[in-house]
Amino acid sequence: MTRTPLDPETYLANLTPAQREAVLHLDGPLLIVAGPGSGKTRVITCRVAHLIAQGVRPYHILAITFTNKAANEMRQRVAALLPNAGVWISTFHSFGVRLLRQYGERLELDRNFTIYDQADRVRMVKAALDAANIDNNRFTPETIQGAISKAKNQLLTPDKFAGTAKDYFSQVVAKVYPLYEKKMRAANALDFDDLLLWPALALKNDQEFRAEVDARFRYVLIDEYQDTNKAQYAIARGLSVDHPNLCVVGDPDQSIYKWRGADIKNILDFENDFPDAKVITLSENFRSTKTILAAADSVIVHNRQRKPKPLHTANAAGGPVRVLQFENGVEEAEQIVKRIRAAVQSGQRRYLDFAIFMRINALTRMLESAFIRQKVPFQIVRGLAFFERKENKDILAYLRLLLNPRDDVSFERIVNEPARGIGKTSLEHLTSYAEPRGLSLLAAAAEVDKIPAIKGKAATGLKSFVILIQELQKFLSATPDEVIRQVLDRTGYRKMLKASGEEEDQERLANIEELITAARQFHEEDNSRTLADFLENITLASDVDGWDDKQDCVAVMTLHAAKGLEFPVVYMVACEQGLLPHERSLANDADIEEERRLAFVGLTRAKEELNVTHVKLREFRGQINYTVPSMFLSELPHEGVAHEDLSESSNRYRAADYWRKETSAASKEWFDAGLDLATLKRQKERDGDGPGKSYREGMTVEHEKYGRGKITEVSGHGALRKIKIRFTGGERAFIAEKAKLTIVGKI
């Protein structure tokens, strides 16, 4: 196909001198240190266009980033400049999948392998623990799976890991790891880490393979290089031996994934790895106001592991960064949501202009309640939760088994879904027959007549299931949505849900119909996409890939998920010691630096308004504690930062005066509780003797959300006074002075 020559001005126009220099660099290693909001995606896109304009075949270009969302955006930008360019743009894991499917036979791997998600991996670890006769009471399967994952990211195979196992836990992992791998190979399954480990080891140990792949990808561009782990680093180096045209883009100040193996030294030591590398710094920020940028810069300069760069912007100064203090987590959530709703109702903003960031997902609970109470639309970004619903996981398991008949995990999930009379005992007999013969459960089911222990309805059910799978495999060449329709109809799954009179089952049916829509849209975006591509896309999705950024609602997410995004207005909540920075980091300077980088990422997501919040009293993990503001708040500059105390206890002296007049004696308990004047009056009218003191064990109370319940426990004093109530739906705990309860039955 003859391609129309590309005019360089179509991609060089409006670039800064530093951006232009990065785009025009052709051969040899290149390090682009790109500060937040500095237009790095634009630079990568224009660089791809320039390579093609200089005669480089798209076939020889590989661009890698870290999320599907970022990869899709990059594809769209390249397509806008060069329609049908054919450049390979993907995430590291997707690249690994395609490489393994393409070269599977050479690597002694069945290319129809299944990619197991976290739940499947833990299940396989449990099976390996059983095989090793190890009691999992001391170490959970999740803990052992995490250790195996860490080992793979360090390129440690089972035998190499065993050589490093010194303590008892490592020795347990060393026993489980090879059994886990054996079971994974038997199921023709790979986990997330294998998608990096296998290519990395192949590039390192098979020079013929390395040379072939290196020749294919002569120009490699890697985004977010500061977040690469050892396996990803090995892949990057393996692709850049004969053709060292490696361009990496990143920012040491935004390296935030040490917990999953990322090594900041990969970017800090790039010039040692490639002594002739050209280094270009992009320090102009196009996103944030001067005030926001100055605040973020004032924090990050306290780190030592970095490449210093002067952040600057031509944007307006903007309003001050606001540090807001609230009394407790409930007030924090309520007031933030009220502020958002007021801004939208005034016509100044839309809900999608707002984002709320926190260090950990557990902090979203109070925000959810506040959004619901105030009827403000919101979306919590926690990955593709839609695909985690039982009914959708069932259908996806059918699809996986069709592609990979050795996938025992999927077999066990669906063999009796819908019911076919195949119980736990029959499956145990089937497993006992399959394992010594090296058979998959599906293959063993085809020989059920040879298993005397399985008879009657169970035997008939297994036979019919084998025939069903064989019939469905005839549709594998159809579009993903058509395969799903066939599964629903031929398995009886749709009929089962339709026949049910339960409202929940009708909702499940609606979810499955939406699954069909998702599969159809996925195929329509690129009609070359197959069923295997659809399953891969779901399995490899990150948290942010599940976020609908077109929906008019407030985005709520962790700071890690916020990486790469931007919003007009940002709230960073719970900026307190032990939360940000996280308590696990407080004893180690390197970990503190990573937490500071995480704070820096959050601060620099804001375009126009930045609000940072903390509270005096936080209920977390079942405990109520007084807090200490985050050390990072003390690192903010004095200029351009406004501190606001919105806590109720800022008026507690007035409250004490009021109570002295009313009772002729100042109440220290009221004073310590930190209640404002209005709260005192409400409590006095309701209780007559102090905050929450009217509640007693055995009382029947009414709650506006949970209904009627009985108080089972009252504990603590003053602001720490708590009550537990048993409702129909379970037991709940409340802060007594804040509980919105009506007493309907005293003891």
Side-chain angles (χ1 to χ4, degrees), residues 89-111:
I89 301 174
S90 73
T91 65
F92 258 112
H93 288 86
S94 293
F95 172 71
V97 172
R98 290 183 65 177
L99 210 61
L100 294 175
R101 294 208 192 278
Q102 183 174 339
Y103 294 95
E105 294 178 2
R106 181 171 184 157
L107 302 176
E108 298 182 354
L109 177 70
D110 185 335
R111 65 181 62 190

CSV table of all heavy atoms in Angstrom, one decimal, residues 89-111:
chain,number,residue,atom,x,y,z
A,89,ILE,N,1.2,-1.0,19.4
A,89,ILE,CA,1.1,-0.3,20.6
A,89,ILE,C,0.3,-1.1,21.6
A,89,ILE,O,-0.8,-1.5,21.3
A,89,ILE,CB,0.3,1.1,20.3
A,89,ILE,CG1,1.1,1.9,19.3
A,89,ILE,CG2,0.2,1.9,21.6
A,89,ILE,CD1,0.3,3.2,18.8
A,90,SER,N,0.9,-1.3,22.8
A,90,SER,CA,0.3,-2.2,23.8
A,90,SER,C,0.9,-1.9,25.1
A,90,SER,O,1.8,-1.2,25.3
A,90,SER,CB,0.4,-3.6,23.4
A,90,SER,OG,1.7,-4.1,23.6
A,91,THR,N,0.3,-2.6,26.1
A,91,THR,CA,0.9,-2.7,27.4
A,91,THR,C,2.0,-3.7,27.5
A,91,THR,O,2.1,-4.5,26.5
A,91,THR,CB,-0.2,-3.0,28.5
A,91,THR,OG1,-0.6,-4.4,28.3
A,91,THR,CG2,-1.3,-2.1,28.5
A,92,PHE,N,2.8,-3.7,28.5
A,92,PHE,CA,3.8,-4.7,28.6
A,92,PHE,C,3.2,-6.1,28.6
A,92,PHE,O,3.7,-7.1,28.0
A,92,PHE,CB,4.6,-4.5,29.9
A,92,PHE,CG,6.0,-3.9,29.7
A,92,PHE,CD1,6.2,-2.6,30.2
A,92,PHE,CD2,7.0,-4.6,29.1
A,92,PHE,CE1,7.4,-2.0,30.0
A,92,PHE,CE2,8.2,-4.0,28.9
A,92,PHE,CZ,8.5,-2.7,29.4
A,93,HIS,N,2.1,-6.3,29.4
A,93,HIS,CA,1.5,-7.6,29.5
A,93,HIS,C,0.9,-8.1,28.2
A,93,HIS,O,1.0,-9.3,27.8
A,93,HIS,CB,0.5,-7.6,30.7
A,93,HIS,CG,1.1,-7.6,32.0
A,93,HIS,ND1,1.5,-6.4,32.6
A,93,HIS,CD2,1.5,-8.6,32.9
A,93,HIS,CE1,2.0,-6.7,33.8
A,93,HIS,NE2,2.0,-8.0,34.0
A,94,SER,N,0.2,-7.2,27.5
A,94,SER,CA,-0.4,-7.5,26.2
A,94,SER,C,0.7,-7.9,25.2
A,94,SER,O,0.5,-8.8,24.4
A,94,SER,CB,-1.2,-6.4,25.7
A,94,SER,OG,-2.3,-6.1,26.5
A,95,PHE,N,1.8,-7.2,25.3
A,95,PHE,CA,2.9,-7.5,24.4
A,95,PHE,C,3.4,-8.9,24.7
A,95,PHE,O,3.7,-9.7,23.8
A,95,PHE,CB,4.1,-6.5,24.6
A,95,PHE,CG,5.4,-6.8,23.9
A,95,PHE,CD1,5.4,-6.8,22.5
A,95,PHE,CD2,6.5,-7.3,24.6
A,95,PHE,CE1,6.6,-7.1,21.8
A,95,PHE,CE2,7.6,-7.6,23.9
A,95,PHE,CZ,7.7,-7.5,22.5
A,96,GLY,N,3.6,-9.2,26.0
A,96,GLY,CA,4.0,-10.6,26.4
A,96,GLY,C,3.0,-11.6,25.9
A,96,GLY,O,3.5,-12.7,25.4
A,97,VAL,N,1.7,-11.4,25.9
A,97,VAL,CA,0.8,-12.4,25.5
A,97,VAL,C,0.9,-12.6,24.0
A,97,VAL,O,1.0,-13.7,23.5
A,97,VAL,CB,-0.7,-11.9,25.8
A,97,VAL,CG1,-1.7,-12.8,25.1
A,97,VAL,CG2,-1.0,-11.8,27.3
A,98,ARG,N,1.0,-11.5,23.2
A,98,ARG,CA,1.1,-11.7,21.7
A,98,ARG,C,2.4,-12.4,21.3
A,98,ARG,O,2.4,-13.2,20.4
A,98,ARG,CB,1.0,-10.3,21.1
A,98,ARG,CG,-0.4,-9.7,21.2
A,98,ARG,CD,-0.4,-8.3,20.4
A,98,ARG,NE,-0.2,-8.5,19.0
A,98,ARG,CZ,-0.3,-7.5,18.1
A,98,ARG,NH1,-0.6,-6.3,18.6
A,98,ARG,NH2,-0.1,-7.7,16.8
A,99,LEU,N,3.5,-12.1,22.1
A,99,LEU,CA,4.7,-12.7,21.8
A,99,LEU,C,4.7,-14.2,22.1
A,99,LEU,O,5.1,-15.0,21.3
A,99,LEU,CB,5.8,-12.1,22.6
A,99,LEU,CG,7.3,-12.0,22.1
A,99,LEU,CD1,7.3,-11.3,20.8
A,99,LEU,CD2,8.2,-11.4,23.1
A,100,LEU,N,4.0,-14.6,23.2
A,100,LEU,CA,3.9,-16.0,23.6
A,100,LEU,C,3.0,-16.7,22.7
A,100,LEU,O,3.2,-17.9,22.4
A,100,LEU,CB,3.5,-16.1,25.0
A,100,LEU,CG,4.5,-15.5,26.1
A,100,LEU,CD1,3.9,-15.6,27.5
A,100,LEU,CD2,5.8,-16.3,26.0
A,101,ARG,N,1.9,-16.1,22.2
A,101,ARG,CA,1.0,-16.8,21.3
A,101,ARG,C,1.7,-17.0,19.9
A,101,ARG,O,1.5,-18.0,19.3
A,101,ARG,CB,-0.3,-16.0,21.2
A,101,ARG,CG,-1.1,-16.0,22.5
A,101,ARG,CD,-2.6,-15.8,22.2
A,101,ARG,NE,-3.4,-15.5,23.4
A,101,ARG,CZ,-3.8,-16.4,24.3
A,101,ARG,NH1,-3.4,-17.7,24.2
A,101,ARG,NH2,-4.5,-16.0,25.4
A,102,GLN,N,2.5,-16.0,19.5
A,102,GLN,CA,3.1,-16.0,18.2
A,102,GLN,C,4.3,-17.1,18.2
A,102,GLN,O,4.4,-17.8,17.2
A,102,GLN,CB,3.6,-14.7,17.8
A,102,GLN,CG,4.3,-14.6,16.4
A,102,GLN,CD,4.6,-13.2,16.0
A,102,GLN,OE1,4.1,-12.2,16.6
A,102,GLN,NE2,5.5,-13.1,15.1
A,103,TYR,N,5.0,-17.1,19.3
A,103,TYR,CA,6.2,-18.0,19.4
A,103,TYR,C,6.0,-19.2,20.3
A,103,TYR,O,6.9,-19.8,20.8
A,103,TYR,CB,7.4,-17.2,19.8
A,103,TYR,CG,7.9,-16.2,18.8
A,103,TYR,CD1,7.4,-14.8,18.9
A,103,TYR,CD2,8.7,-16.5,17.7
A,103,TYR,CE1,7.9,-13.9,18.0
A,103,TYR,CE2,9.1,-15.5,16.8
A,103,TYR,CZ,8.7,-14.2,16.9
A,103,TYR,OH,9.1,-13.3,16.0
A,104,GLY,N,4.7,-19.4,20.6
A,104,GLY,CA,4.4,-20.5,21.6
A,104,GLY,C,5.1,-21.8,21.4
A,104,GLY,O,5.7,-22.4,22.3
A,105,GLU,N,5.0,-22.3,20.2
A,105,GLU,CA,5.6,-23.6,19.9
A,105,GLU,C,7.1,-23.6,20.1
A,105,GLU,O,7.7,-24.6,20.6
A,105,GLU,CB,5.2,-24.1,18.5
A,105,GLU,CG,3.7,-24.3,18.3
A,105,GLU,CD,3.4,-24.7,16.9
A,105,GLU,OE1,4.3,-24.8,16.1
A,105,GLU,OE2,2.2,-24.9,16.6
A,106,ARG,N,7.7,-22.5,19.7
A,106,ARG,CA,9.2,-22.4,19.9
A,106,ARG,C,9.6,-22.4,21.3
A,106,ARG,O,10.6,-22.9,21.7
A,106,ARG,CB,9.6,-21.2,19.2
A,106,ARG,CG,11.1,-20.9,19.3
A,106,ARG,CD,11.5,-19.8,18.4
A,106,ARG,NE,12.9,-19.6,18.3
A,106,ARG,CZ,13.5,-19.0,17.3
A,106,ARG,NH1,12.9,-18.5,16.3
A,106,ARG,NH2,14.8,-18.8,17.4
A,107,LEU,N,8.7,-21.9,22.2
A,107,LEU,CA,9.0,-21.8,23.6
A,107,LEU,C,8.3,-23.0,24.4
A,107,LEU,O,8.3,-22.9,25.6
A,107,LEU,CB,8.4,-20.5,24.2
A,107,LEU,CG,9.0,-19.2,23.5
A,107,LEU,CD1,8.3,-18.0,24.1
A,107,LEU,CD2,10.5,-19.1,23.7
A,108,GLU,N,7.9,-24.0,23.6
A,108,GLU,CA,7.3,-25.2,24.2
A,108,GLU,C,6.1,-24.8,25.1
A,108,GLU,O,5.9,-25.3,26.2
A,108,GLU,CB,8.3,-26.0,25.0
A,108,GLU,CG,9.5,-26.5,24.2
A,108,GLU,CD,10.4,-27.3,25.0
A,108,GLU,OE1,10.3,-27.4,26.2
A,108,GLU,OE2,11.4,-27.9,24.4
A,109,LEU,N,5.2,-23.9,24.5
A,109,LEU,CA,4.0,-23.5,25.2
A,109,LEU,C,2.8,-23.6,24.2
A,109,LEU,O,2.9,-23.2,23.1
A,109,LEU,CB,4.2,-22.0,25.6
A,109,LEU,CG,3.0,-21.3,26.3
A,109,LEU,CD1,2.8,-21.9,27.7
A,109,LEU,CD2,3.3,-19.8,26.4
A,110,ASP,N,1.8,-24.2,24.7
A,110,ASP,CA,0.5,-24.2,23.9
A,110,ASP,C,0.0,-22.8,23.8
A,110,ASP,O,-0.4,-22.2,24.8
A,110,ASP,CB,-0.5,-25.2,24.6
A,110,ASP,CG,-1.7,-25.4,23.8
A,110,ASP,OD1,-2.1,-24.5,22.9
A,110,ASP,OD2,-2.4,-26.4,24.0
A,111,ARG,N,-0.2,-22.3,22.6
A,111,ARG,CA,-0.5,-20.9,22.4
A,111,ARG,C,-2.0,-20.7,22.8
A,111,ARG,O,-2.4,-19.5,22.8
A,111,ARG,CB,-0.3,-20.5,20.9
A,111,ARG,CG,-1.1,-21.3,19.9
A,111,ARG,CD,-0.8,-20.8,18.5
A,111,ARG,NE,0.6,-21.1,18.2
A,111,ARG,CZ,1.2,-20.6,17.1
A,111,ARG,NH1,0.6,-19.8,16.3
A,111,ARG,NH2,2.5,-20.9,16.9
